[in-house]
Amino acid sequence: MQVIDFRFRPNTQKTIDGIQNSKMFKGLCQSIDFSKMQAQNLEEIVADMDKNGVERAVITGRDCETTYGAKSNNDSVIEFVKKFPQKFLGFIGLDPHKGMGAVYELRAAICDLGMHGAAVDPYLAQIYANDAKYYPLYAKCCELDVPIVFTTGPASLVPGAIIDHVAPRYIDFVARDFPDLRIIISHGGYPWVNEAIIVAQRNPNVYIDLSEYEFSPMSEAYVQAANTMIGDKILFASAHPFVDYRKAIETYKKPSLPARSAAEGHARQRRQAAPAGPGGKDRRPPGRRRHA
């Protein structure tokens, strides 16, 4: 089984230290005993991914410098992609409060640095997904023809975070305002399970991953929707290293979960959710190629 993991961060020592010591996630890491995650060097990580059938992995960057004073991790994402461009697809993290600076950073990341998409965290930016500050970034993503990942979820123990900022209903506004923008709702839009399902179902340009919340209360609706409404809209994502990707793959092999999203659905992911990788064939119609 060949797997594409749509939410992955290599568990290098630098990555683990950065997560568990960050102002945003320190409390969460303590609550789940994140320190037990074993660090590896990048070569070991890639070798293990090969052994476990992980063909490609999307690494999302994060930039919340304006609201939390934390340096973005984009440099490390760029480094991972440069070292293993056939294994990793990088999505540049963007801070909407940086205005045109973030737009210029997005353009450079895609056109000059080999990145494949964008990533935003409305609960860390402390604004809604349909706030006007985000719209220049969405427009640029459309111009560059790259997808964007919205980190959602309950933002447990994150200081200053307001859960409503990541409600899928606000992403629905974005999907309607930018029908050419390919959107991935990460972490299933949890706890707004039914709302996230409908936003993915009603918008051709919206996809969803369920990472971390496959067994949470109300998650049975994801399974029902996968089997009836949005089977071709669900992307496999592990959220490694918060959830070990090997355990996540085993989870999706269970009959009660949409295993297709972790296996044969990956060909569809390549066509619909992410641009072609380095050396890959671009399946998009003429006029939809990446440009500056």
Side-chain angles (χ1 to χ4, degrees):
M1 180 175 68
Q2 294 300 307
V3 175
I4 295 176
D5 190 337
F6 219 89
R7 190 176 186 92
F8 184 98
R9 289 190 179 93
N11 51 299
T12 63
Q13 191 64 60
K14 182 178 179 181
T15 297
I16 291 174
D17 290 344
I19 293 173
Q20 65 186 2
N21 294 323
S22 71
K23 179 179 180 181
M24 302 84 69
F25 302 113
K26 188 174 183 178
L28 174 62
C29 288
Q30 291 173 346
S31 74
I32 63 174
D33 203 5
F34 184 72
S35 61
K36 288 183 177 180
M37 172 55 67
Q38 184 177 357
Q40 297 176 286
N41 64 48
L42 194 58
E43 290 72 20
E44 291 172 334
I45 293 168
V46 170
D48 279 351
M49 293 170 72
D50 289 339
K51 290 178 184 177
N52 288 277
V54 180
E55 181 181 354
R56 306 295 294 272
V58 171
I59 308 177
T60 53
R62 171 169 283 134
D63 188 350
C64 54
E65 186 174 14
T66 301
T67 46
Y68 287 89
K71 185 180 184 296
S72 83
N73 67 344
N74 286 326
D75 288 346
S76 64
V77 176
I78 293 167
E79 180 183 355
F80 293 145
V81 173
K82 282 185 176 180
K83 286 185 176 180
F84 290 94
Q86 299 301 324
K87 180 63 69 176
F88 297 124
L89 301 164
F91 280 40
I92 197 81
L94 299 170
D95 182 344
H97 301 292
K98 293 182 178 180
M100 288 304 297
V103 175
Y104 300 146
E105 183 179 14
L106 171 59
R107 181 189 181 279
I110 302 302
C111 299
D112 303 328
L113 300 175
M115 298 294 100
H116 290 78
V120 292
D121 301 74
Y123 71 87
L124 294 179
Q126 299 177 0
I127 58 176
Y128 290 99
N130 65 334
D131 190 284
K133 288 186 176 182
Y134 275 121
Y135 273 49
L137 297 173
Y138 302 152
K140 195 64 178 180
C141 283
C142 291
E143 181 183 336
L144 296 169
D145 195 14
V146 296
I148 189 167
V149 171
F150 286 86
T151 298
T152 67
S156 300
L157 302 177
V158 177
I162 303 299
I163 188 173
D164 195 54
H165 284 150
V166 292
R169 68 189 71 115
Y170 302 109
I171 298 175
D172 185 61
F173 282 99
V174 179
R176 291 302 168 113
D177 287 343
F178 295 91
D180 290 333
L181 178 63
R182 286 166 290 160
I183 293 169
I184 300 92
I185 301 176
S186 192
H187 299 317
Y190 195 85
W192 293 277
V193 176
N194 290 328
E195 188 172 295
I197 289 168
I198 294 303
V199 171
Q201 184 272 332
R202 72 188 297 268
N203 293 291
N205 55 327
V206 176
Y207 303 83
I208 186 171
D209 83 56
L210 314 180
S211 56
E212 296 192 70
Y213 298 99
E214 293 92 344
F215 294 112
S216 296
M218 304 178 290
S219 62
E220 60 275 6
Y222 292 133
V223 179
Q224 184 179 7
N227 290 322
T228 59
M229 297 171 62
I230 56 170
D232 61 346
K233 292 296 204 74
I234 296 178
L235 311 179
F236 170 71
S238 67
H240 185 84
F242 281 102
V243 176
D244 190 298
Y245 72 91
R246 289 156 287 210
K247 293 181 179 179
I249 291 171
E250 291 303 312
T251 292
Y252 276 76
K253 290 179 180 178
K254 296 178 180 179
S256 60
L257 283 169
R260 184 173 63 175
S261 300
E264 65 265 26
H266 293 313
R268 182 168 49 250
Q269 291 182 26
R270 287 196 191 92
R271 295 192 301 270
Q272 297 177 328
K281 183 179 180 181
D282 193 336
R283 299 174 182 271
R284 292 167 296 186
R288 294 293 305 281
R289 307 297 191 229
R290 180 186 298 164
H291 53 88

